[in-house]
Amino acid sequence: MTPTRNTLRADAQRNREHLIATAAEAFASGKAVSLDSIAKRAGVGSGTLYRHFPTREDLVEEVYRDQIRPLRDDARDLLASEQPAQALHTWMRRFAEWAGERRGICEALVAMSASGRFGSGPVCDEIQQILGMVLQTGAEAGELRSDIDPVDVGGILAGVLSVAGAPEQRAQLDRMLTIVVDGLKPRQEDRRRAYPAPATNRGCK
């Protein structure tokens, strides 16, 4: 008797969930682990792992998809207590700290940015939405430019983390984030167009 399609789907889902749990445990060990070793630890073949997660980045993102969601609440709290530009700087620093505690996420984001696929997947999608919320709030307040794509900012953030993502590099990270945020502020001519000086009636005496 051949297994039904529903049974096959249930088995595939169990394999996927088991691979994610095994990978999360492996990444938390702090040691470098290969995809093949994760498959072996999960008791499945490498082909099964690659069918679910074609690349290391796909697996890393899936492992951390639920863990990044609280950062959205952090962004909202920061926008309620700080000016948008400062909130953006603070949030990006918190994200760097979050990523630094999770082995592989920085490398995955850098790899996705370098390959041009930053902007797809659960973690990147969440980063985009959070950055989009902060950027829009900043643009409405006149603190940040209105023509900025969150995907571009996410890619820049990945690049910054590739250079200064280690805990001992926090001072350099802050300096680099300051440069990034300054570059996202409206230029003087943009401010003049958005907030023109009130006209004066020079013909009246």
Side-chain angles (χ1 to χ4, degrees):
M1 184 175 180
T2 58
T4 65
R5 180 174 298 180
N6 286 341
T7 300
L8 291 173
R9 287 177 177 171
D11 287 345
Q13 183 62 29
R14 281 194 295 271
N15 282 339
R16 180 183 178 85
E17 292 172 355
H18 185 47
L19 282 166
I20 293 171
T22 302
E25 183 180 331
F27 293 150
S29 70
K31 300 177 182 178
V33 290
S34 67
L35 294 185
D36 289 339
S37 67
I38 290 173
K40 184 176 181 180
R41 186 181 300 190
V44 302
S46 295
T48 298
L49 185 148
Y50 286 108
R51 277 196 299 275
H52 289 288
F53 307 104
T55 69
R56 184 181 186 84
E57 289 74 37
D58 293 321
L59 179 57
V60 169
E61 274 214 297
E62 194 64 36
V63 167
Y64 295 125
R65 69 179 303 165
D66 293 326
Q67 297 181 34
I68 194 174
R69 287 171 182 156
L71 289 176
R72 183 189 289 264
D73 293 333
D74 281 350
R76 291 195 179 101
D77 291 342
L78 288 168
L79 287 173
S81 61
E82 299 181 359
Q83 294 301 310
Q86 182 57 45
L88 177 61
H89 186 288
T90 303
W91 185 85
M92 289 195 293
R93 186 172 63 242
R94 288 188 184 178
F95 174 77
E97 293 169 353
W98 176 90
E101 295 170 356
R102 291 157 177 81
R103 184 178 182 87
I105 191 67
C106 283
E107 292 88 345
L109 293 175
V110 171
M112 284 185 283
S113 181
S115 66
R117 61 162 285 196
F118 191 96
S120 63
V123 170
C124 285
D125 183 62
E126 190 69 27
I127 295 172
Q128 281 186 67
Q129 292 184 35
I130 294 170
L131 289 173
M133 175 179 65
V134 179
L135 291 169
Q136 180 178 352
T137 302
E140 291 171 353
E143 281 203 10
L144 298 171
R145 291 166 52 181
S146 60
D147 60 342
I148 303 298
D149 190 331
V151 176
D152 292 337
V153 179
I156 293 170
L157 179 56
V160 170
L161 293 180
S162 71
V163 175
E168 63 272 15
Q169 295 175 302
R170 287 295 177 256
Q172 182 183 9
L173 175 72
D174 276 337
R175 293 195 301 271
M176 295 178 74
L177 291 180
T178 296
I179 294 170
V180 171
V181 174
D182 282 348
L184 297 177
K185 293 178 180 179
R187 296 180 292 270
Q188 194 62 37
E189 56 268 28
D190 295 333
R191 289 182 181 274
R192 285 197 293 267
R193 284 196 294 268
Y195 304 100
T200 57
N201 189 344
R202 298 181 179 179
C204 296
K205 296 183 180 180

